[in-house]
Amino acid sequence: MYEAGKRSANTQHDLTDEKLAYVYDPGSEKLAYIYDPGTCRQTKKQKLCTQMGDLTHQLQISDIANENLAKQIKLLTNENDRLKEKLIFFQHLMAGNTKSGISIHQFSLKETEIPGQYRYALTLIQGGERPSDFKGNLRFQVKLLQDDQSKTIPLTSKEAKQDFPINFKFLHRLEESFKVPPHTHVESLQVQIYEHNNSKAILTQTTQPSL
């Protein structure tokens, strides 16, 4: 009993130091094992790893959700810009501010998030009472600055042709992208509008890259 009392008195100290601890059980009149430090440490590590794994998984899900949200916001922003542009066009159309014949309503050039890739947008409108379909071609010229040398090259379509055929009555929108070699800066983009079977451009406009 004396030895059991000594061991029982030291139980709290042993538990604190995470050592083996025993306590006397009067019912069975023998020492009962109540604490296994090895099992405790292993259990704690398992719980901690499980918690860290769950947290990492939650962070990964959150990152993916944020990326998807950013993509959706970008798509909605682009769609909103296009809707605004169409709204402005129809407001002009309803107000009778459109000139008779072909005119350039909007022409823009922007550098994308991909290095060396640029995206341009062109909107043409045709005013006048009961206009007939306009048939013609577009031609683009890119002014580049490469190795401190300026040069102008034509843009080509997917069919590797300089002419971009157009055929419309009221509104025509073109939105495409092109890529330039590394260490090359785009200074400007020029568009020329040609009517079918006419070698002289009826409209020419130049735009510079915007942020």
Side-chain angles (χ1 to χ4, degrees):
M1 289 296 294
Y2 175 78
E3 293 297 329
K6 288 176 61 180
R7 293 183 181 182
S8 178
N10 293 331
T11 298
Q12 295 298 325
H13 176 71
D14 292 338
L15 287 172
T16 304
D17 292 341
E18 292 191 354
K19 297 178 181 178
L20 288 174
Y22 295 84
V23 65
Y24 179 74
D25 184 1
S28 59
E29 296 185 354
K30 63 181 180 179
L31 295 176
Y33 170 71
I34 63 169
Y35 187 73
D36 184 350
T39 303
C40 180
R41 292 192 185 99
Q42 185 178 4
T43 304
K44 286 182 179 179
K45 285 184 178 179
Q46 289 178 349
K47 289 182 178 180
L48 181 61
C49 290
T50 301
Q51 292 174 354
M52 291 179 65
D54 292 341
L55 180 60
T56 302
H57 184 62
Q58 292 176 4
L59 290 174
Q60 290 174 346
I61 294 176
S62 178
D63 290 341
I64 295 174
N66 289 335
E67 290 178 2
N68 293 335
L69 182 60
K71 291 179 181 179
Q72 292 178 2
I73 291 175
K74 186 176 181 180
L75 291 174
L76 290 174
T77 300
N78 294 335
E79 181 64 23
N80 186 48
D81 292 340
R82 286 193 287 268
L83 291 175
K84 284 183 178 179
E85 182 182 327
K86 290 182 179 180
L87 177 61
I88 293 174
F89 163 72
F90 284 114
Q91 286 175 342
H92 279 275
L93 187 65
M94 295 300 293
N97 294 329
T98 55
K99 298 180 180 179
S100 179
I102 301 296
S103 61
I104 298 175
H105 176 63
Q106 181 260 350
F107 185 35
S108 62
L109 176 65
K110 293 183 178 181
E111 187 173 5
T112 66
E113 297 177 354
I114 302 175
Q117 181 172 299
Y118 292 79
R119 191 164 191 85
Y120 63 93
L122 173 69
T123 304
L124 304 176
I125 58 176
Q126 182 175 209
E129 295 182 2
R130 298 182 180 180
S132 58
D133 290 356
F134 178 84
K135 297 180 181 180
N137 296 291
L138 303 175
R139 290 182 184 176
F140 296 92
Q141 299 285 333
V142 187
K143 188 177 180 181
L144 305 174
L145 183 63
Q146 187 177 33
D147 298 329
D148 296 329
Q149 293 184 353
S150 182
K151 57 183 179 180
T152 302
I153 62 173
L155 279 185
T156 57
S157 63
K158 296 179 180 178
E159 293 77 20
K161 296 182 179 180
Q162 293 188 24
D163 290 342
F164 292 71
I166 53 174
N167 185 350
F168 70 100
K169 183 182 291 290
F170 296 108
L171 175 68
H172 178 79
R173 179 177 175 83
L174 176 66
E175 188 171 354
E176 295 287 348
S177 60
F178 63 91
K179 199 168 184 179
V180 297
H183 311 295
T184 302
H185 176 69
V186 175
E187 293 184 317
S188 64
L189 176 65
Q190 182 187 82
V191 61
Q192 294 177 322
I193 303 174
Y194 293 85
E195 197 170 3
H196 188 60
N197 295 329
N198 192 342
S199 60
K200 185 178 180 181
I202 61 174
L203 276 177
T204 301
Q205 187 167 316
T206 303
T207 184
Q208 286 76 37
S210 61
L211 299 177

